Each structure stands twice: as C-alpha cells, then as structure tokens.
Amino acid sequence: MGKRTIVPFGPQHPALPEPIHLDLELEDETVVRAVPSIGYVHRGLEKLVEQRDYQQMTYIMERVCGICSFGHGWGYVGAVEGLMKVEVPERAETLRLVFHELSRVHSHLLWLGLLADGMGFDSLFMQCWRIRERVLDIFESVTGGRVIVSFCRVGGVQCDVTPEQVAKIISVCDEIEDEIRKTGLVFINDTSVKNRLRGIGYISKEDAMELCAVGPTARGSGVNNDVRDFTPSYKALGFEPVLYDEGDCLARCRVRIDELMQSLDLIRNGLRNLPEGEWRVPVKGNPPEGEYAFRIEQPRGEAFYYVKGNGTKNLDRARVRTPTNINIPAMVRMLQGCSLQDVSMIVITIDPCISCTER
C-alpha cells in the first residue's frame, strides 16, 4: 500500500456550488475512500410545525429547496390531504402534474448547465439556462413567482388556468423542444464531454439497489424505482420510465436528457386532456389524530413525506426524506477508485441539493 493523503473537498469548490464537504483519502491521484460531512446549512424547518398551522406550513415546506419547491409543496399537501381524507378534484390533480413536470424541465436544464459549467463549457452552460428561462416565464405568468411559485394548496391549487394560458404553455413546449433536443445532442456526442463522463463514476445495478439510490442516479444503472410508474394519473398519460444500464456519469446525463423530452410530452398531453370542473375544494377543520405518508418523484428522485396530526391546527410532526440524502451513500461508492480530477463530475451527476438534505 502506497502513501495515503487526506485532501479536503468543499464546502466551497469552484466546480460545485453546494456546501458539501468530503474528506478524500488518496493514493497518488486515486480516491481510495471518501467520507462526507454535512450540516453546514441546517435551518430547522421541520421544527416550525410547532409555530405555524398546517396551511401555513405549505409555504415553509416549499422552501426546503428552491429548485424543487413545487414538488415539496405537492408532497406536503398530498400528505395532509391523505390525513384529512380530502378528495382533490381531477382538474387540480392534472394541473399539479403539469406544473410538476414543468418544474422537472427547469431543474434538469439547470443541472445540465451546471454540468457544462463544471467542465468549463461556458457557452453550453448559458444555452441550457437560456432555455430554462422560458419555463420560469410560464411559472411567473400563471402564479406570479418564478422559482417559489406557491401553487399547491390543501384541497387543490391556488388558481385555475385560462384557455389562453393553456395554449401558451403548449406553444412554449413546442418551441423549446427542438432546442432541448439539439442541446442534448452536444452532451451525448461531443468528444470533450464524453471524455469527462463516459466510464466515470460507475455504480452497478446491484450496488445501486443495495444502497437504495433513487432518481436518475438509480435509473442510470437500470433500476426502475420511479414513483411516477406507479401513479395512475401518470400512467393514464402514457408514462414509461427512462432507464440506462451503463451506470456511469454519461448514463445519468442521458436519463435526464430523455426525461426532458418525456416531460414536455406529459405537459402537453395533460393540458390537452385537462378535465373540466373545480380546481379546489374548501377544506374545513383541523387535521385529525393519526399519521400519513406520501411519495412523489422529484427531479432528483423519490421524496417521502410524513405528517402526524393531533387534532389541532398545528401538526405534531412534518417530516421529509429528500433524494440527495438517500443518494449520498451511492455517491461515496462511485468515488471509490476514481481519479481526483473526476470527483467534481461524479458529485455533480447525483444532482446534489444540500439545502434539501439539511432541513
């Protein structure tokens, strides 16, 4: 065994805008072991259930993560609605699906831009974020917000969409589809990009399952644990999970690129088949005693929401397990045996969100 060196990675790093710290144990330029440390941005959001009622907590849970804010709102209100046995109108459920997929598009485009930035491909970074702005414009035109949209409410959504807004959203999806396809081909075919991603950060299907990896991290290794595949509203729109078997950084990138195209189809199909009727039902009373759990497929993977009621307007507990939290063990496995220069690429490909992890 050669001489080993401990090299700190993070919490500030030029290629990774996330406050995660890794102690990298090296033999020459090879990572033998990686020890993660988290806890830099703990905010105590779950503790606020003692001070905010169950309706107000919707706004708190949205701020678990700005990028995934819509999904966190949906996951929380879905758990509360299950606890209170609230029947959500079909129109509201479809609108939630549409806006959740729009959120996935903006999250994946943001991630592709950060991946390009990590490789020093600045023009590709700016192109990804330029396309993403069109999605944020949709959020702003309907909800008034660009990132924190506060669209979900217990019982439905905050507002309906007009036929003109539906037509506009479909039109924007049509317009950006070709741009996304062309941009995605750069990640798949460009030699310099492939040299940084192909064969790097490998994790087998068996290891991904053993370590309970979720989202594109798992699906890049052929593991189908996409919650949408078990959701009737998604299956009704023809959803099929995107899977690749290579298990490397390039496979995880290709999963997200394919999911972008898939999300655009789901958005258009949902809007073209948007049910008529109410978009919110009145909710009266307080959450009863008991507990309820709700799962949702965030852009980074499955998120798990748990609420516990005590018969008052304040919940006893509101808990969320985020996908980055569960993907860290898989990331540590990917780093074993890699070159020091590939560490930032591997960490980026799990799409880490430390504000999600440290609530």
Side-chain angles (χ1 to χ4, degrees):
M1 182 176 67
K3 182 179 179 180
R4 295 191 175 184
T5 307
I6 304 296
V7 174
F9 178 93
Q12 286 81 35
H13 190 277
L16 188 70
E18 284 284 351
I20 184 172
H21 176 81
L22 300 170
D23 286 321
L24 302 175
E25 190 173 324
L26 305 179
E27 284 187 7
D28 296 325
E29 292 286 322
T30 302
V31 177
V32 178
R33 191 165 70 107
V35 181
S37 298
I38 58 177
Y40 287 90
V41 290
H42 178 65
R43 296 172 290 160
L45 297 184
E46 294 173 0
K47 178 75 171 175
L48 288 174
V49 293
E50 299 174 4
Q51 303 174 29
R52 300 289 185 268
D53 65 41
Y54 73 95
Q55 294 280 16
Q56 294 169 333
M57 274 302 295
T58 305
Y59 303 102
I60 304 297
M61 297 300 283
E62 283 183 319
R63 283 155 177 80
V64 168
C65 171
I67 306 303
C68 306
S69 64
F70 181 86
H72 284 306
W74 188 5
Y76 168 76
V77 300
V80 173
E81 287 161 354
L83 180 64
M84 299 181 70
K85 296 181 172 56
V86 175
E87 292 291 334
V88 179
E90 289 186 9
R91 187 177 181 87
E93 279 293 299
T94 303
L95 287 174
R96 287 177 178 180
L97 184 154
V98 166
F99 275 78
H100 189 48
E101 291 308 308
L102 284 167
S103 178
R104 193 182 314 278
V105 171
H106 110 77
S107 177
H108 281 357
L109 285 171
L110 179 143
W111 177 84
L112 286 169
L114 293 178
L115 181 68
D117 181 60
M119 292 182 284
F121 205 151
D122 287 348
S123 59
L124 186 58
F125 158 72
M126 289 185 283
Q127 170 68 357
C128 293
W129 280 40
R130 186 187 67 81
I131 301 171
R132 172 177 170 262
E133 284 295 310
R134 302 291 303 278
V135 180
L136 301 186
D137 289 342
I138 293 175
F139 288 148
E140 185 176 23
S141 66
V142 176
T143 70
R146 293 178 66 81
V147 179
I148 306 291
V149 297
S150 299
F151 191 62
C152 285
R153 294 285 188 275
V154 178
V157 294
Q158 72 158 352
C159 62
D160 199 5
V161 292
T162 65
E164 293 76 18
Q165 289 173 325
V166 168
K168 179 63 176 178
I169 295 172
I170 293 175
S171 174
V172 170
C173 290
D174 292 338
E175 291 168 6
I176 66 175
E177 181 177 18
D178 190 54
E179 293 186 72
I180 291 174
R181 182 178 289 106
K182 291 177 180 178
T183 305
L185 289 176
V186 178
F187 287 93
I188 296 171
N189 296 328
D190 185 84
T191 302
S192 60
V193 174
K194 288 195 293 185
N195 287 342
R196 293 300 307 273
L197 300 179
R198 178 174 286 172
I200 304 300
Y202 173 76
I203 183 169
S204 67
K205 181 177 182 179
E206 292 72 24
D207 284 347
M209 294 178 66
E210 178 185 354
L211 296 171
C212 302
V214 295
T217 302
R219 294 193 287 277
S221 295
V223 179
N224 178 19
N225 54 9
D226 195 319
V227 176
R228 295 174 293 171
D229 198 31
F230 314 102
T231 306
S233 57
Y234 274 95
K235 297 303 287 185
L237 296 178
F239 173 81
E240 293 292 339
V242 177
L243 302 175
Y244 283 91
D245 298 324
E246 292 82 359
D248 58 5
C249 290
L250 184 60
R252 294 187 281 277
C253 180
R254 294 183 70 183
V255 168
R256 292 183 175 94
I257 291 171
D258 287 356
E259 286 188 352
L260 280 169
M261 309 306 296
Q262 181 184 66
S263 291
L264 294 177
D265 287 337
L266 290 170
I267 293 163
R268 288 178 296 210
N269 289 342
L271 290 175
R272 287 167 180 156
N273 296 281
L274 188 61
E276 298 293 336
E278 296 293 325
W279 42 271
R280 186 168 66 193
V281 295
V283 177
K284 298 180 180 180
N286 298 323
E289 293 186 10
E291 53 189 1
Y292 197 86
F294 189 84
R295 299 190 304 159
I296 192 170
E297 187 69 24
Q298 291 276 30
R300 294 171 171 87
E302 177 190 338
F304 184 89
Y305 300 84
Y306 167 85
V307 295
K308 183 178 181 181
N310 56 12
T312 70
K313 65 179 182 178
N314 289 74
L315 295 167
D316 260 351
R317 188 75 194 271
R319 180 82 168 85
V320 52
R321 192 205 71 181
T322 61
T324 298
N325 189 35
I326 202 66
N327 275 334
I328 287 178
M331 179 194 71
V332 170
R333 181 67 59 86
M334 297 173 200
L335 291 170
Q336 293 176 357
C338 80
S339 175
L340 178 60
Q341 66 181 354
D342 295 323
V343 170
S344 60
M345 285 293 99
I346 294 171
V347 176
I348 288 173
T349 57
I350 74 162
D351 194 4
C353 179
I354 304 306
S355 67
C356 279
T357 305
E358 303 173 18
R359 296 160 306 281

